[in-house]
């Protein structure tokens, strides 16, 4: 847990060269900070609203500050954090100012929440390293999940995707080699999880059953085609 001795009125008493600075405790920022804290990561949450500070006090390492003011960032030791996340998305001016202040501080990794593609474009232009569009990303992911046998969907980069899915009927009862999944559909079965058994990495001899879960990788379009099989 991040070491901070200050609440809304105090001052941070020691520096750290590791950890994540999370600015903004809306739904996105609070979920992120809470998860990092539960995972044992060093995290310091910063929030401007006294109401939200009171809500999260005692539950997270927390400071009350207005990070649109560069002096406030300096005072809370923002320079000591290699990673900062700007969770202030709904207020465009504040989002841009905070991101710009972090860029000026030389923060090595800046993640910023955006609420639109135009907002994302501005954040990239001023120097944010990673942009998160939570609603757009969630909508795209759910669209993939409701359209076939997919149970989970992770797009890695440039269309390369990994999915968890139920096996099409034509693969059930056959080994991966017999099904010729790679040859027919251009996707690769990475692993298989059978009910009550541990996950196993797939080999050509791995036999697929109706109740199995498959972990499959490939281009998103090819995975859509494979998962749409009856």
């Amino acid at each position: 847990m991040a070491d901070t001795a200050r609440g809304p009125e105090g001052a941070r008493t020691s520096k750290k060269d590791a950890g994540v600075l999370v600015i903004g405790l809306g739904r996105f920022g609070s979920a992120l900070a809470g998860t990092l804290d539960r995972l044992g990561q060093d995290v310091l949450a910063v929030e401007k609203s006294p109401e939200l500070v009171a809500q999260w006090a005692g539950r997270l390492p927390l400071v009350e500050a207005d990070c649109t003011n560069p002096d406030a960032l300096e005072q809370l030791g923002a320079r000591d954090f290699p990673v900062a996340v700007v969770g202030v998305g709904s207020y465009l001016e504040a989002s841009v100012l905070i991101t710009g202040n972090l860029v000026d501080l030389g923060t090595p990794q800046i993640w910023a929440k955006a609420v639109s593609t135009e907002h994302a474009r501005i954040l990239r232009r001023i120097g944010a390293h990673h942009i998160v569009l939570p609603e757009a990303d969630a909508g795209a992911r759910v669209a993939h999940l409701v359209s076939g046998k997919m149970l989970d969907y992770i797009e890695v980069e440039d269309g390369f995707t990994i999915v968890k899915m139920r096996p099409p009927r034509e693969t059930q009862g056959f080994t991966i080699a017999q099904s010729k999944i790679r040859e027919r559909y251009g996707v690769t079965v990475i692993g298989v999880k059978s009910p009550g058994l541990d996950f196993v990495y797939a080999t050509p001899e791995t036999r697929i059953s109706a109740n199995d879960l498959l972990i499959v990788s490939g281009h998103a379009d090819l995975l859509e085609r494979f998962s749409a099989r009856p």
Side-chain angles (χ1 to χ4, degrees), residues 33-104:
T35 301
L36 288 170
D37 191 50
R38 286 194 299 275
L39 291 173
Q41 297 291 318
D42 290 320
V43 60
L44 176 64
V46 187
E47 173 55 50
K48 175 183 176 181
S49 164
E51 291 79 13
L52 285 175
V53 169
Q55 178 181 334
W56 289 100
R59 300 162 64 184
L60 288 172
L62 179 60
V63 170
E64 180 180 344
D66 180 0
C67 292
T68 62
N69 182 347
D71 292 338
L73 281 171
E74 289 278 11
Q75 290 170 10
L76 61 86
R79 287 185 184 273
D80 303 323
F81 289 86
V83 181
V85 181
V86 183
V88 181
S90 301
Y91 301 98
L92 180 60
E93 182 179 0
S95 169
V96 170
L97 286 172
I98 294 168
T99 302
N101 289 340
L102 291 168
V103 171
D104 290 342

Side-chain angles (χ1 to χ4, degrees), residues 91 101 111 137 139-140 147-148 169 207 213:
Y91 301 98
N101 289 340
W111 295 71
D137 293 344
S147 63
R169 281 201 301 269
R207 190 171 300 273
L213 294 177

Side-chain angles (χ1 to χ4, degrees), residues 2-229:
D3 59 329
T4 176
R6 99 164 187 153
E9 304 298 330
R12 202 160 180 251
T13 58
S14 62
K15 294 185 177 182
K16 293 193 70 66
D17 293 321
V20 181
L21 181 68
V22 179
I23 301 172
L25 283 178
R27 285 179 295 180
F28 173 77
S30 60
L32 175 66
T35 301
L36 288 170
D37 191 50
R38 286 194 299 275
L39 291 173
Q41 297 291 318
D42 290 320
V43 60
L44 176 64
V46 187
E47 173 55 50
K48 175 183 176 181
S49 164
E51 291 79 13
L52 285 175
V53 169
Q55 178 181 334
W56 289 100
R59 300 162 64 184
L60 288 172
L62 179 60
V63 170
E64 180 180 344
D66 180 0
C67 292
T68 62
N69 182 347
D71 292 338
L73 281 171
E74 289 278 11
Q75 290 170 10
L76 61 86
R79 287 185 184 273
D80 303 323
F81 289 86
V83 181
V85 181
V86 183
V88 181
S90 301
Y91 301 98
L92 180 60
E93 182 179 0
S95 169
V96 170
L97 286 172
I98 294 168
T99 302
N101 289 340
L102 291 168
V103 171
D104 290 342
L105 287 176
T107 303
Q109 283 195 60
I110 302 170
W111 295 71
K113 174 188 172 184
V115 295
S116 68
T117 54
E118 180 65 16
H119 185 187
R121 185 183 66 81
I122 294 170
L123 292 172
R124 286 192 187 95
R125 180 167 291 182
I126 62 177
H129 305 105
H130 307 278
I131 305 299
V132 182
L133 284 154
E135 291 188 1
D137 293 344
R141 181 172 175 272
V142 170
H144 289 290
L145 298 181
V146 302
S147 63
K149 294 181 176 62
M150 296 184 191
L151 303 175
D152 207 349
Y153 179 99
I154 303 172
E155 185 167 349
V156 181
E157 191 172 0
D158 296 331
F160 181 80
T161 304
I162 299 172
V163 304
K164 178 171 71 174
M165 59 176 286
R166 299 288 184 187
R169 281 201 301 269
E170 65 197 69
T171 67
Q172 296 171 15
F174 298 96
T175 67
I176 291 174
Q178 290 168 338
S179 299
K180 297 182 178 179
I181 294 170
R182 177 73 178 173
E183 293 89 335
R184 291 176 178 173
Y185 299 103
V187 300
T188 301
V189 178
I190 300 173
V192 178
K193 174 69 171 68
S194 300
L197 299 177
D198 292 336
F199 170 90
V200 295
Y201 288 102
T203 69
E205 292 72 39
T206 301
R207 190 171 300 273
I208 298 172
S209 301
N211 294 323
D212 287 344
L213 294 177
L214 306 183
I215 307 299
V216 190
S217 67
H219 192 278
D221 294 340
L222 297 176
L223 287 167
E224 289 284 0
R225 176 170 167 251
F226 181 58
S227 69
R229 298 295 298 170

